[in-house]
Amino acid sequence: MRKRIFQLTVFLAGAFLFVSSSLSDDIHHSQPAWGFFAHKRINRLAVLTLPPEMMVFFKPNIDWLTDHAVDPDMRRYATKHEAPRHYIDLDEYGTPPFEDLPRLWADAMMKYTDVWVVQLPGDTVQLFGNQKPVPENLTRSYKNYFFQNLLPRFYKDEEMLDADSLNAFLQASGIPLRAKTAFFREHLSKHGIVPWHLQKMQRDLTEAFRQRNSKRLLRLAADMGHYIGDAHVPLHTTSNYNGQKTGQHGIHGFWESRVPELFADEEYDFFVGKPEYIANPTDFFWQAVFDSHSMVDSVLTMERALTKSFPSDRQMCPDMRNGLSVLAPCRDYAAAYQTALQGMMERRMRAAIHAVSSAWYTAWVDAGQPDLSKMDVSPATEEELKAEEELKKIFGQGKILGRPEEH
Ligand SMILES: [Zn+2]
């Protein structure tokens, strides 16, 4: 077992060097979420809080879980479906408590997906979807139709619908439309889906524990740590995610990368206690983003006030990044921002660590507390190595698909 893990670690260390060297260009136009630094700390520290029955598997793999805490950000260069998993623009859905926003993904998809019926050329009618709610008496049958025919198509990037099955639904529902062809447009992804995606991850992780599938388990646990981390960042819950709407460009990286990088290791108290069982993961993940969202105002207001009150020639300082000189918020300036926010970055990072370990722990409990002591991680296969290389190559080229920056 020891040898296998060693092989895995060597491979990963090599891979990571590659990433670091190709990052330099990228760092100017895209600060990864929480910074790579904080994501890695969150996963690592979450491992250290686990009970002995889980530690026996997680501890030997702690370096893997740490290094791969940032994979989801790298995947944003490989598929357009990745970016929305890192955020949710809650302000697009009104104001707290967001009662009309469906808490379950399939319900939200149904509400924000338009289905269009093409009857004759030029005669296209919207059936249901955004701005056109499903009547109460048809909710059940439409849900059936939607779950069976539409949801499976979503990830295939296919927007055409099968006319026959739609017509069967229309006929059974007494709707006087007949489709020659039909298609759909989905409006949920563009504002981000992090709280919904976390629900799916929790189910997948539980299943991986149940199957005692060590590779899948590690992969999902690492990803889960990343998305939970993102959900704890206030600027991941607003459409003004980089201060671009309020003239505060760069605030995203300032809050989630610069401040933790300067102060986390020296000053933050990361003793967060044991993980807790999450009775209702759906509510738990939503609460995390709602809490984050409630802090957006302070994040923006305090920075705006500080740019006015702090000596302007001491706000930005030269800093070295991967051998390049860049301008970054000065240490004193960053400290002043942190103080103005009463240590918000530390509180959110602590909450994220505790949430990550609690989500892992909950999945393990829900899977029936499987014995993890004899689980081994086999070395990466040819195919897996190739896929990793491919991901790094695309990442190195630095073209994000979907939202361009700061998520
Ligand atoms: Zn992210």
Side-chain angles (χ1 to χ4, degrees), residues 261-273:
E261 275 169 24
L262 284 170
F263 305 114
D265 283 350
E266 289 172 25
E267 297 176 9
Y268 291 2
D269 171 12
F270 283 132
F271 185 76
V272 301

Side-chain angles (χ1 to χ4, degrees), residues 369-383:
Q369 310 195 355
D371 178 8
L372 306 180
S373 65
K374 290 180 188 69
M375 280 194 359
D376 211 347
V377 184
S378 54
T381 62
E382 279 285 308
E383 219 163 278

Side-chain angles (χ1 to χ4, degrees), residues 11-24:
F11 156 65
L12 290 164
F16 193 67
L17 275 178
F18 178 88
V19 173
S20 322
S21 59
S22 62
L23 241 183
S24 51

Side-chain angles (χ1 to χ4, degrees), residues 203-222:
R203 285 194 302 272
D204 290 352
L205 185 64
T206 308
E207 192 50 39
F209 270 117
R210 223 170 256 140
Q211 296 172 350
R212 298 175 74 254
N213 180 338
S214 52
K215 261 191 191 175
R216 194 164 153 71
L217 194 53
L218 284 178
R219 157 69 48 218
L220 289 168

Side-chain angles (χ1 to χ4, degrees), residues 32-34 39 72-73 76 82-83 85-87 226-227 230 236 407:
W34 257 127
H39 273 303
D73 276 339
R76 298 176 55 205
E82 185 56 44
R85 296 174 185 156
H86 301 244
Y87 62 91
H226 181 97
Y227 298 121
D230 281 353
H236 278 245
H407 265 296

Side-chain angles (χ1 to χ4, degrees), residues 157-175:
D157 291 329
E158 219 181 277
E159 296 195 324
M160 293 309 289
L161 289 169
D162 175 53
D164 290 345
S165 39
L166 182 59
N167 281 332
F169 164 76
L170 292 170
Q171 200 153 15
S173 310
I175 299 171

Side-chain angles (χ1 to χ4, degrees), residues 20-67:
S20 322
S21 59
S22 62
L23 241 183
S24 51
D25 257 10
D26 211 57
I27 230 144
H28 302 290
H29 61 87
S30 168
Q31 292 279 351
W34 257 127
F36 277 14
F37 169 87
H39 273 303
K40 291 179 172 203
R41 284 293 184 283
I42 290 169
N43 273 13
R44 175 171 285 275
L45 292 161
V47 170
L48 300 177
T49 69
L50 295 172
E53 301 95 314
M54 292 182 74
M55 195 69 101
V56 68
F57 175 70
F58 278 73
K59 189 76 185 288
N61 292 299
I62 192 168
D63 289 337
W64 197 95
L65 288 162
T66 304
D67 289 342

